[in-house]
Amino acid sequence: MSQETKPKSEAEFYQRDRRLHPPALTPDYKTSVARSPRYSMISLQNSISEMTGPVFGHNDIDPVDNDLISNYAKAGDPVGERIIVHGRVLDENAHPVRNTLVEIWQANASGRYRHKKDNYLGALDPNFGGCGRTITDENGYYFFRTIKPGAYPWRNWVNNWRPAHIHVSVFGSGFVQRLITQLYFEGDPLIPLCPIVKTIPDPDAIEQLIAKLDLNSTIPLDSIAYKFDIVLRGRRSTLFENRLEGN
Amino acid sequence: MPQKLDYLRESASQTAGPYVHIGLAPGAAGFDIYEQELGWDIAGPNATGERIRVEGVVIDGIGSPVKDVLLEVWQANANGHYAHPDGGGPVEDGFRGWGRVITDFETGEWAFDTIKPGPVMGRNGRMMAPHLNLWIVARGINIGLNTRMYFDDEAEANATDPVINLIEWEKRRATLIAKRSERDGKPVYRFDIRLQGDDETVFFDI
Ligand SMILES: [Fe+3]
């Protein structure tokens, strides 16, 4: 039987370039020591189980979910620097990843999370929840309005401080694209000192997680803006696609 | 100089950290913010197939339960179809096949209710035994861990599953197989995940 070409949506994904991701064991980030698998992973070629993934729609979320300044406010605005975080979700072929769910969570301006396990002495803000979500548009574009998070201390070495960061979770169209990462802010002196940042072995890959000040996208007299593009794994072209299924 | 390839590079992973619940399961973090949280109903009301419960614990290299894990489940329906445009066929109305599960903060135990999936067509026309795809994140896990859960009452299908058979060390294959029992007349599968040690669960680079 002849080779069959597949529509783009079914093409296999490029293998993940593990050289730019943190390895499981990174002793300077101490929690990884007992939580890192030691055997080699088994490499799997894509089957339908890996190439598909959950589909989300606008019914799943509320339009205000991407506005962290208002989505938890009780009696006024949260305190702190008002920012816009925006950008595109792209794949490695630079194609937009459309209609995909982007979720974020973060500390408030004091560096405190609204979480029952966080007991840092930075004050909770009654008007700030610290989570948001949105779905990318036809161009892969997304945006959030939020408060710039503060740095916070954490127990690793006695005096470690996380650079200001926003946690970001993205889906893509296949389960192999599932990714959680963190967004950092241009110019933060804590970035090169952070053992969690430094789990990433590749300096360019670290740079890629630093959002850049984007003066053109600020709202004058209201909010400053940072641009942050997210790249998910790409798919092969259809031209020489091997058949995944046969009969 | 050779020509440049102009591919972009995937964004690097970073740990989900200890407060992942705020973003992905805020109710568990202790506050209500969204109208609806995502991923709590995997199968929906109309799915055919056997209703099952899956439970377990994630165990670290010391032998302690990991109490701040978040797992995501991705599974086919009873006909082996995924709820996706390329999922192999239709699924029941309301069947999503995706779920989010967090551990109990005190014990590390997690559990979810779903339906047992059917066999799924794999590569080169080889049938894959019924399985759940799992993705595990937590503080101290730098990049999400992928594994699969198979069912011990599917011994025949498991024996020919192309993924299980990729694992050269036969003894390690057992780490992917959940054990069935009954509780109050309902089937319960136990699936403990070991991050390290002799019985380290098989993880996949997918
Ligand atoms: Fe954090």
mmCIF file of all heavy atoms in Angstrom, chain B residues 147-189:
data_model
loop_
_atom_site.group_PDB
_atom_site.id
_atom_site.type_symbol
_atom_site.label_atom_id
_atom_site.label_comp_id
_atom_site.label_asym_id
_atom_site.label_seq_id
_atom_site.Cartn_x
_atom_site.Cartn_y
_atom_site.Cartn_z
ATOM 1 N N THR B 147 3.521 9.366 32.231
ATOM 2 C CA THR B 147 3.488 7.926 32.350
ATOM 3 C C THR B 147 2.126 7.428 31.862
ATOM 4 O O THR B 147 1.295 8.223 31.424
ATOM 5 C CB THR B 147 3.811 7.461 33.789
ATOM 6 O OG1 THR B 147 3.975 6.049 33.788
ATOM 7 C CG2 THR B 147 2.743 7.850 34.778
ATOM 8 N N ARG B 148 1.952 6.124 31.883
ATOM 9 C CA ARG B 148 0.666 5.538 31.515
ATOM 10 C C ARG B 148 0.243 4.578 32.600
ATOM 11 O O ARG B 148 1.079 3.907 33.192
ATOM 12 C CB ARG B 148 0.781 4.726 30.217
ATOM 13 C CG ARG B 148 0.896 5.552 28.965
ATOM 14 C CD ARG B 148 0.862 4.629 27.766
ATOM 15 N NE ARG B 148 0.866 5.395 26.520
ATOM 16 C CZ ARG B 148 0.550 4.891 25.323
ATOM 17 N NH1 ARG B 148 0.227 3.601 25.221
ATOM 18 N NH2 ARG B 148 0.575 5.636 24.248
ATOM 19 N N MET B 149 -1.066 4.505 32.825
ATOM 20 C CA MET B 149 -1.605 3.510 33.739
ATOM 21 C C MET B 149 -2.399 2.487 32.942
ATOM 22 O O MET B 149 -3.316 2.831 32.210
ATOM 23 C CB MET B 149 -2.534 4.182 34.761
ATOM 24 C CG MET B 149 -3.022 3.222 35.833
ATOM 25 S SD MET B 149 -4.456 3.851 36.750
ATOM 26 C CE MET B 149 -5.738 2.805 36.047
ATOM 27 N N TYR B 150 -2.022 1.211 33.092
ATOM 28 C CA TYR B 150 -2.756 0.102 32.480
ATOM 29 C C TYR B 150 -3.539 -0.635 33.567
ATOM 30 O O TYR B 150 -3.390 -0.347 34.756
ATOM 31 C CB TYR B 150 -1.779 -0.846 31.777
ATOM 32 C CG TYR B 150 -1.173 -0.279 30.507
ATOM 33 C CD1 TYR B 150 -0.039 0.535 30.539
ATOM 34 C CD2 TYR B 150 -1.734 -0.555 29.270
ATOM 35 C CE1 TYR B 150 0.517 1.055 29.367
ATOM 36 C CE2 TYR B 150 -1.184 -0.052 28.097
ATOM 37 C CZ TYR B 150 -0.057 0.749 28.143
ATOM 38 O OH TYR B 150 0.479 1.256 26.993
ATOM 39 N N PHE B 151 -4.348 -1.624 33.167
ATOM 40 C CA PHE B 151 -5.294 -2.274 34.071
ATOM 41 C C PHE B 151 -4.937 -3.756 34.234
ATOM 42 O O PHE B 151 -4.735 -4.450 33.233
ATOM 43 C CB PHE B 151 -6.708 -2.151 33.495
ATOM 44 C CG PHE B 151 -7.171 -0.722 33.350
ATOM 45 C CD1 PHE B 151 -6.814 0.036 32.233
ATOM 46 C CD2 PHE B 151 -7.933 -0.120 34.340
ATOM 47 C CE1 PHE B 151 -7.231 1.365 32.108
ATOM 48 C CE2 PHE B 151 -8.358 1.202 34.217
ATOM 49 C CZ PHE B 151 -8.000 1.941 33.095
ATOM 50 N N ASP B 152 -4.877 -4.224 35.477
ATOM 51 C CA ASP B 152 -4.408 -5.607 35.685
ATOM 52 C C ASP B 152 -5.413 -6.661 35.229
ATOM 53 O O ASP B 152 -5.052 -7.832 35.068
ATOM 54 C CB ASP B 152 -3.974 -5.854 37.147
ATOM 55 C CG ASP B 152 -5.128 -5.910 38.126
ATOM 56 O OD1 ASP B 152 -6.239 -5.466 37.777
ATOM 57 O OD2 ASP B 152 -4.907 -6.377 39.261
ATOM 58 N N ASP B 153 -6.673 -6.263 35.010
ATOM 59 C CA ASP B 153 -7.639 -7.238 34.490
ATOM 60 C C ASP B 153 -7.656 -7.261 32.960
ATOM 61 O O ASP B 153 -8.570 -7.802 32.348
ATOM 62 C CB ASP B 153 -9.043 -6.952 35.040
ATOM 63 C CG ASP B 153 -9.475 -5.509 34.817
ATOM 64 O OD1 ASP B 153 -8.602 -4.627 34.741
ATOM 65 O OD2 ASP B 153 -10.691 -5.257 34.726
ATOM 66 N N GLU B 154 -6.645 -6.671 32.333
ATOM 67 C CA GLU B 154 -6.513 -6.692 30.868
ATOM 68 C C GLU B 154 -5.219 -7.399 30.476
ATOM 69 O O GLU B 154 -4.503 -6.973 29.571
ATOM 70 C CB GLU B 154 -6.486 -5.253 30.322
ATOM 71 C CG GLU B 154 -7.748 -4.472 30.572
ATOM 72 C CD GLU B 154 -8.896 -4.854 29.641
ATOM 73 O OE1 GLU B 154 -8.637 -5.519 28.610
ATOM 74 O OE2 GLU B 154 -10.048 -4.503 29.954
ATOM 75 N N ALA B 155 -4.916 -8.483 31.193
ATOM 76 C CA ALA B 155 -3.608 -9.131 31.032
ATOM 77 C C ALA B 155 -3.322 -9.494 29.575
ATOM 78 O O ALA B 155 -2.199 -9.328 29.087
ATOM 79 C CB ALA B 155 -3.530 -10.364 31.913
ATOM 80 N N GLU B 156 -4.346 -9.961 28.886
ATOM 81 C CA GLU B 156 -4.142 -10.399 27.507
ATOM 82 C C GLU B 156 -3.763 -9.219 26.609
ATOM 83 O O GLU B 156 -2.810 -9.278 25.835
ATOM 84 C CB GLU B 156 -5.431 -11.055 27.007
ATOM 85 C CG GLU B 156 -5.229 -12.104 25.961
ATOM 86 C CD GLU B 156 -6.559 -12.806 25.672
ATOM 87 O OE1 GLU B 156 -7.168 -13.344 26.635
ATOM 88 O OE2 GLU B 156 -6.973 -12.779 24.505
ATOM 89 N N ALA B 157 -4.523 -8.134 26.730
ATOM 90 C CA ALA B 157 -4.230 -6.934 25.924
ATOM 91 C C ALA B 157 -2.892 -6.325 26.326
ATOM 92 O O ALA B 157 -2.120 -5.865 25.478
ATOM 93 C CB ALA B 157 -5.358 -5.916 26.084
ATOM 94 N N ASN B 158 -2.602 -6.341 27.622
ATOM 95 C CA ASN B 158 -1.325 -5.777 28.075
ATOM 96 C C ASN B 158 -0.141 -6.546 27.488
ATOM 97 O O ASN B 158 0.902 -5.965 27.187
ATOM 98 C CB ASN B 158 -1.231 -5.815 29.606
ATOM 99 C CG ASN B 158 -2.233 -4.873 30.269
ATOM 100 O OD1 ASN B 158 -2.767 -3.959 29.632
ATOM 101 N ND2 ASN B 158 -2.491 -5.095 31.553
ATOM 102 N N ALA B 159 -0.326 -7.866 27.334
ATOM 103 C CA ALA B 159 0.790 -8.707 26.881
ATOM 104 C C ALA B 159 1.217 -8.346 25.462
ATOM 105 O O ALA B 159 2.374 -8.546 25.079
ATOM 106 C CB ALA B 159 0.396 -10.179 26.958
ATOM 107 N N THR B 160 0.317 -7.798 24.667
ATOM 108 C CA THR B 160 0.672 -7.442 23.289
ATOM 109 C C THR B 160 0.731 -5.928 23.080
ATOM 110 O O THR B 160 0.879 -5.465 21.952
ATOM 111 C CB THR B 160 -0.353 -8.036 22.299
ATOM 112 O OG1 THR B 160 -1.656 -7.559 22.648
ATOM 113 C CG2 THR B 160 -0.336 -9.557 22.350
ATOM 114 N N ASP B 161 0.601 -5.162 24.161
ATOM 115 C CA ASP B 161 0.611 -3.704 24.007
ATOM 116 C C ASP B 161 1.976 -3.240 23.504
ATOM 117 O O ASP B 161 3.013 -3.577 24.081
ATOM 118 C CB ASP B 161 0.307 -3.042 25.357
ATOM 119 C CG ASP B 161 0.348 -1.533 25.262
ATOM 120 O OD1 ASP B 161 -0.676 -0.939 24.904
ATOM 121 O OD2 ASP B 161 1.426 -0.952 25.517
ATOM 122 N N PRO B 162 1.993 -2.439 22.418
ATOM 123 C CA PRO B 162 3.285 -2.061 21.835
ATOM 124 C C PRO B 162 4.127 -1.154 22.733
ATOM 125 O O PRO B 162 5.353 -1.139 22.613
ATOM 126 C CB PRO B 162 2.887 -1.331 20.541
ATOM 127 C CG PRO B 162 1.463 -0.932 20.713
ATOM 128 C CD PRO B 162 0.853 -1.939 21.638
ATOM 129 N N VAL B 163 3.481 -0.416 23.620
ATOM 130 C CA VAL B 163 4.250 0.484 24.493
ATOM 131 C C VAL B 163 4.851 -0.297 25.662
ATOM 132 O O VAL B 163 6.042 -0.177 25.971
ATOM 133 C CB VAL B 163 3.371 1.660 24.956
ATOM 134 C CG1 VAL B 163 4.072 2.464 26.041
ATOM 135 C CG2 VAL B 163 3.027 2.546 23.759
ATOM 136 N N ILE B 164 4.040 -1.127 26.298
ATOM 137 C CA ILE B 164 4.568 -1.954 27.391
ATOM 138 C C ILE B 164 5.732 -2.801 26.875
ATOM 139 O O ILE B 164 6.756 -2.955 27.559
ATOM 140 C CB ILE B 164 3.463 -2.868 27.966
ATOM 141 C CG1 ILE B 164 2.405 -2.032 28.688
ATOM 142 C CG2 ILE B 164 4.050 -3.903 28.934
ATOM 143 C CD1 ILE B 164 1.239 -2.839 29.249
ATOM 144 N N ASN B 165 5.586 -3.302 25.655
ATOM 145 C CA ASN B 165 6.632 -4.175 25.117
ATOM 146 C C ASN B 165 7.909 -3.453 24.725
ATOM 147 O O ASN B 165 8.924 -4.086 24.442
ATOM 148 C CB ASN B 165 6.079 -4.989 23.950
ATOM 149 C CG ASN B 165 5.299 -6.189 24.453
ATOM 150 O OD1 ASN B 165 5.874 -7.176 24.905
ATOM 151 N ND2 ASN B 165 3.982 -6.084 24.442
ATOM 152 N N LEU B 166 7.851 -2.123 24.701
ATOM 153 C CA LEU B 166 9.083 -1.363 24.450
ATOM 154 C C LEU B 166 10.012 -1.386 25.659
ATOM 155 O O LEU B 166 11.191 -1.059 25.550
ATOM 156 C CB LEU B 166 8.728 0.109 24.202
ATOM 157 C CG LEU B 166 8.500 0.615 22.801
ATOM 158 C CD1 LEU B 166 8.191 2.116 22.881
ATOM 159 C CD2 LEU B 166 9.712 0.377 21.932
ATOM 160 N N ILE B 167 9.446 -1.695 26.810
ATOM 161 C CA ILE B 167 10.233 -1.641 28.044
ATOM 162 C C ILE B 167 11.025 -2.935 28.154
ATOM 163 O O ILE B 167 10.474 -4.007 28.385
ATOM 164 C CB ILE B 167 9.311 -1.440 29.267
ATOM 165 C CG1 ILE B 167 8.463 -0.183 29.059
ATOM 166 C CG2 ILE B 167 10.135 -1.343 30.545
ATOM 167 C CD1 ILE B 167 7.254 -0.106 29.968
ATOM 168 N N GLU B 168 12.315 -2.780 27.988
ATOM 169 C CA GLU B 168 13.198 -3.934 27.909
ATOM 170 C C GLU B 168 13.193 -4.744 29.210
ATOM 171 O O GLU B 168 13.233 -5.963 29.186
ATOM 172 C CB GLU B 168 14.594 -3.378 27.611
ATOM 173 C CG GLU B 168 15.654 -4.378 27.360
ATOM 174 C CD GLU B 168 17.005 -3.675 27.184
ATOM 175 O OE1 GLU B 168 17.042 -2.474 26.847
ATOM 176 O OE2 GLU B 168 18.026 -4.344 27.406
ATOM 177 N N TRP B 169 13.126 -4.037 30.346
ATOM 178 C CA TRP B 169 13.199 -4.699 31.634
ATOM 179 C C TRP B 169 11.800 -5.141 32.039
ATOM 180 O O TRP B 169 10.994 -4.333 32.515
ATOM 181 C CB TRP B 169 13.782 -3.745 32.671
ATOM 182 C CG TRP B 169 15.090 -3.177 32.241
ATOM 183 C CD1 TRP B 169 16.324 -3.742 32.392
ATOM 184 C CD2 TRP B 169 15.312 -1.937 31.540
ATOM 185 N NE1 TRP B 169 17.289 -2.945 31.845
ATOM 186 C CE2 TRP B 169 16.709 -1.838 31.320
ATOM 187 C CE3 TRP B 169 14.480 -0.925 31.082
ATOM 188 C CZ2 TRP B 169 17.286 -0.745 30.663
ATOM 189 C CZ3 TRP B 169 15.039 0.164 30.432
ATOM 190 C CH2 TRP B 169 16.426 0.242 30.224
ATOM 191 N N GLU B 170 11.526 -6.436 31.887
ATOM 192 C CA GLU B 170 10.158 -6.908 32.102
ATOM 193 C C GLU B 170 9.655 -6.600 33.504
ATOM 194 O O GLU B 170 8.492 -6.306 33.714
ATOM 195 C CB GLU B 170 10.075 -8.412 31.816
ATOM 196 C CG GLU B 170 10.172 -8.651 30.318
ATOM 197 C CD GLU B 170 10.016 -10.104 29.937
ATOM 198 O OE1 GLU B 170 9.212 -10.806 30.592
ATOM 199 O OE2 GLU B 170 10.706 -10.530 28.991
ATOM 200 N N LYS B 171 10.560 -6.638 34.452
ATOM 201 C CA LYS B 171 10.183 -6.387 35.840
ATOM 202 C C LYS B 171 9.627 -4.966 36.025
ATOM 203 O O LYS B 171 8.758 -4.731 36.851
ATOM 204 C CB LYS B 171 11.435 -6.659 36.675
ATOM 205 C CG LYS B 171 11.527 -6.015 37.971
ATOM 206 C CD LYS B 171 12.834 -6.363 38.684
ATOM 207 C CE LYS B 171 12.922 -5.407 39.845
ATOM 208 N NZ LYS B 171 14.126 -4.992 40.348
ATOM 209 N N ARG B 172 10.120 -4.028 35.235
ATOM 210 C CA ARG B 172 9.646 -2.648 35.370
ATOM 211 C C ARG B 172 8.251 -2.453 34.771
ATOM 212 O O ARG B 172 7.582 -1.471 35.073
ATOM 213 C CB ARG B 172 10.629 -1.667 34.716
ATOM 214 C CG ARG B 172 12.017 -1.667 35.358
ATOM 215 C CD ARG B 172 12.795 -0.431 34.973
ATOM 216 N NE ARG B 172 12.175 0.766 35.531
ATOM 217 C CZ ARG B 172 12.299 1.984 35.015
ATOM 218 N NH1 ARG B 172 12.999 2.171 33.913
ATOM 219 N NH2 ARG B 172 11.707 3.024 35.580
ATOM 220 N N ARG B 173 7.839 -3.353 33.900
ATOM 221 C CA ARG B 173 6.519 -3.180 33.270
ATOM 222 C C ARG B 173 5.418 -3.162 34.323
ATOM 223 O O ARG B 173 4.402 -2.498 34.164
ATOM 224 C CB ARG B 173 6.263 -4.314 32.274
ATOM 225 C CG ARG B 173 7.243 -4.286 31.119
ATOM 226 C CD ARG B 173 7.028 -5.468 30.184
ATOM 227 N NE ARG B 173 8.066 -5.492 29.152
ATOM 228 C CZ ARG B 173 8.222 -6.464 28.271
ATOM 229 N NH1 ARG B 173 7.422 -7.510 28.295
ATOM 230 N NH2 ARG B 173 9.187 -6.408 27.373
ATOM 231 N N ALA B 174 5.646 -3.899 35.402
ATOM 232 C CA ALA B 174 4.624 -3.989 36.460
ATOM 233 C C ALA B 174 4.341 -2.627 37.084
ATOM 234 O O ALA B 174 3.254 -2.418 37.653
ATOM 235 C CB ALA B 174 5.087 -4.970 37.531
ATOM 236 N N THR B 175 5.267 -1.688 36.971
ATOM 237 C CA THR B 175 5.035 -0.377 37.595
ATOM 238 C C THR B 175 3.914 0.399 36.903
ATOM 239 O O THR B 175 3.454 1.407 37.429
ATOM 240 C CB THR B 175 6.308 0.491 37.600
ATOM 241 O OG1 THR B 175 6.667 0.846 36.241
ATOM 242 C CG2 THR B 175 7.476 -0.227 38.251
ATOM 243 N N LEU B 176 3.513 -0.057 35.717
ATOM 244 C CA LEU B 176 2.482 0.672 34.964
ATOM 245 C C LEU B 176 1.095 0.045 35.121
ATOM 246 O O LEU B 176 0.143 0.511 34.497
ATOM 247 C CB LEU B 176 2.842 0.705 33.476
ATOM 248 C CG LEU B 176 4.167 1.381 33.129
ATOM 249 C CD1 LEU B 176 4.347 1.445 31.616
ATOM 250 C CD2 LEU B 176 4.225 2.790 33.714
ATOM 251 N N ILE B 177 0.997 -0.999 35.924
ATOM 252 C CA ILE B 177 -0.249 -1.759 35.952
ATOM 253 C C ILE B 177 -0.987 -1.570 37.268
ATOM 254 O O ILE B 177 -0.483 -1.917 38.339
ATOM 255 C CB ILE B 177 0.038 -3.235 35.641
ATOM 256 C CG1 ILE B 177 0.746 -3.237 34.278
ATOM 257 C CG2 ILE B 177 -1.252 -4.054 35.670
ATOM 258 C CD1 ILE B 177 0.937 -4.511 33.606
ATOM 259 N N ALA B 178 -2.180 -0.997 37.181
ATOM 260 C CA ALA B 178 -2.988 -0.734 38.379
ATOM 261 C C ALA B 178 -3.703 -2.002 38.813
ATOM 262 O O ALA B 178 -4.076 -2.835 37.983
ATOM 263 C CB ALA B 178 -3.999 0.365 38.080
ATOM 264 N N LYS B 179 -3.914 -2.121 40.128
ATOM 265 C CA LYS B 179 -4.536 -3.327 40.688
ATOM 266 C C LYS B 179 -5.989 -3.074 41.030
ATOM 267 O O LYS B 179 -6.323 -2.133 41.742
ATOM 268 C CB LYS B 179 -3.784 -3.762 41.951
ATOM 269 C CG LYS B 179 -2.396 -4.269 41.632
ATOM 270 C CD LYS B 179 -1.811 -5.108 42.749
ATOM 271 C CE LYS B 179 -0.517 -5.762 42.296
ATOM 272 N NZ LYS B 179 0.391 -4.830 41.557
ATOM 273 N N ARG B 180 -6.820 -3.970 40.533
ATOM 274 C CA ARG B 180 -8.264 -3.820 40.721
ATOM 275 C C ARG B 180 -8.728 -4.468 42.005
ATOM 276 O O ARG B 180 -8.291 -5.551 42.371
ATOM 277 C CB ARG B 180 -8.987 -4.472 39.538
ATOM 278 C CG ARG B 180 -10.495 -4.369 39.611
ATOM 279 C CD ARG B 180 -11.136 -5.011 38.377
ATOM 280 N NE ARG B 180 -12.581 -5.028 38.474
ATOM 281 C CZ ARG B 180 -13.391 -4.419 37.614
ATOM 282 N NH1 ARG B 180 -12.892 -3.747 36.604
ATOM 283 N NH2 ARG B 180 -14.696 -4.486 37.769
ATOM 284 N N SER B 181 -9.633 -3.775 42.689
ATOM 285 C CA SER B 181 -10.341 -4.394 43.816
ATOM 286 C C SER B 181 -11.757 -3.818 43.814
ATOM 287 O O SER B 181 -12.104 -3.037 42.931
ATOM 288 C CB SER B 181 -9.626 -4.093 45.137
ATOM 289 O OG SER B 181 -9.630 -2.704 45.370
ATOM 290 N N GLU B 182 -12.551 -4.215 44.775
ATOM 291 C CA GLU B 182 -13.910 -3.693 44.859
ATOM 292 C C GLU B 182 -14.103 -3.035 46.210
ATOM 293 O O GLU B 182 -13.591 -3.514 47.220
ATOM 294 C CB GLU B 182 -14.934 -4.828 44.721
ATOM 295 C CG GLU B 182 -14.856 -5.538 43.404
ATOM 296 C CD GLU B 182 -16.174 -5.507 42.627
ATOM 297 O OE1 GLU B 182 -17.235 -5.572 43.269
ATOM 298 O OE2 GLU B 182 -16.122 -5.414 41.392
ATOM 299 N N ARG B 183 -14.835 -1.945 46.214
ATOM 300 C CA ARG B 183 -15.194 -1.312 47.480
ATOM 301 C C ARG B 183 -16.639 -0.846 47.354
ATOM 302 O O ARG B 183 -16.962 -0.129 46.410
ATOM 303 C CB ARG B 183 -14.278 -0.122 47.791
ATOM 304 C CG ARG B 183 -14.429 0.380 49.225
ATOM 305 C CD ARG B 183 -13.593 1.628 49.480
ATOM 306 N NE ARG B 183 -12.199 1.435 49.113
ATOM 307 C CZ ARG B 183 -11.478 2.348 48.476
ATOM 308 N NH1 ARG B 183 -12.000 3.495 48.125
ATOM 309 N NH2 ARG B 183 -10.231 2.096 48.160
ATOM 310 N N ASP B 184 -17.468 -1.267 48.266
ATOM 311 C CA ASP B 184 -18.904 -0.956 48.213
ATOM 312 C C ASP B 184 -19.487 -1.305 46.846
ATOM 313 O O ASP B 184 -20.268 -0.540 46.267
ATOM 314 C CB ASP B 184 -19.148 0.531 48.510
ATOM 315 C CG ASP B 184 -18.508 0.973 49.824
ATOM 316 O OD1 ASP B 184 -18.445 0.131 50.741
ATOM 317 O OD2 ASP B 184 -18.056 2.123 49.910
ATOM 318 N N GLY B 185 -19.043 -2.419 46.308
ATOM 319 C CA GLY B 185 -19.561 -2.866 45.025
ATOM 320 C C GLY B 185 -19.040 -2.095 43.827
ATOM 321 O O GLY B 185 -19.487 -2.325 42.704
ATOM 322 N N LYS B 186 -18.113 -1.170 44.050
ATOM 323 C CA LYS B 186 -17.580 -0.381 42.935
ATOM 324 C C LYS B 186 -16.135 -0.753 42.660
ATOM 325 O O LYS B 186 -15.338 -0.928 43.586
ATOM 326 C CB LYS B 186 -17.630 1.122 43.281
ATOM 327 C CG LYS B 186 -18.880 1.836 42.785
ATOM 328 C CD LYS B 186 -18.725 3.363 42.884
ATOM 329 C CE LYS B 186 -17.727 3.914 41.877
ATOM 330 N NZ LYS B 186 -17.586 5.381 41.966
ATOM 331 N N PRO B 187 -15.762 -0.864 41.368
ATOM 332 C CA PRO B 187 -14.368 -1.179 41.063
ATOM 333 C C PRO B 187 -13.423 -0.003 41.376
ATOM 334 O O PRO B 187 -13.724 1.143 41.029
ATOM 335 C CB PRO B 187 -14.380 -1.478 39.562
ATOM 336 C CG PRO B 187 -15.676 -0.955 39.045
ATOM 337 C CD PRO B 187 -16.612 -0.768 40.179
ATOM 338 N N VAL B 188 -12.348 -0.346 42.048
ATOM 339 C CA VAL B 188 -11.338 0.648 42.408
ATOM 340 C C VAL B 188 -9.988 0.135 41.915
ATOM 341 O O VAL B 188 -9.649 -1.031 42.143
ATOM 342 C CB VAL B 188 -11.271 0.843 43.937
ATOM 343 C CG1 VAL B 188 -10.177 1.836 44.317
ATOM 344 C CG2 VAL B 188 -12.611 1.297 44.485
ATOM 345 N N TYR B 189 -9.256 0.967 41.230
ATOM 346 C CA TYR B 189 -7.909 0.600 40.800
ATOM 347 C C TYR B 189 -6.898 1.389 41.614
ATOM 348 O O TYR B 189 -7.025 2.609 41.775
ATOM 349 C CB TYR B 189 -7.694 0.915 39.318
ATOM 350 C CG TYR B 189 -8.443 -0.020 38.406
ATOM 351 C CD1 TYR B 189 -9.737 0.271 38.008
ATOM 352 C CD2 TYR B 189 -7.848 -1.190 37.947
ATOM 353 C CE1 TYR B 189 -10.434 -0.581 37.173
ATOM 354 C CE2 TYR B 189 -8.543 -2.051 37.107
ATOM 355 C CZ TYR B 189 -9.830 -1.739 36.722
ATOM 356 O OH TYR B 189 -10.512 -2.588 35.887
#
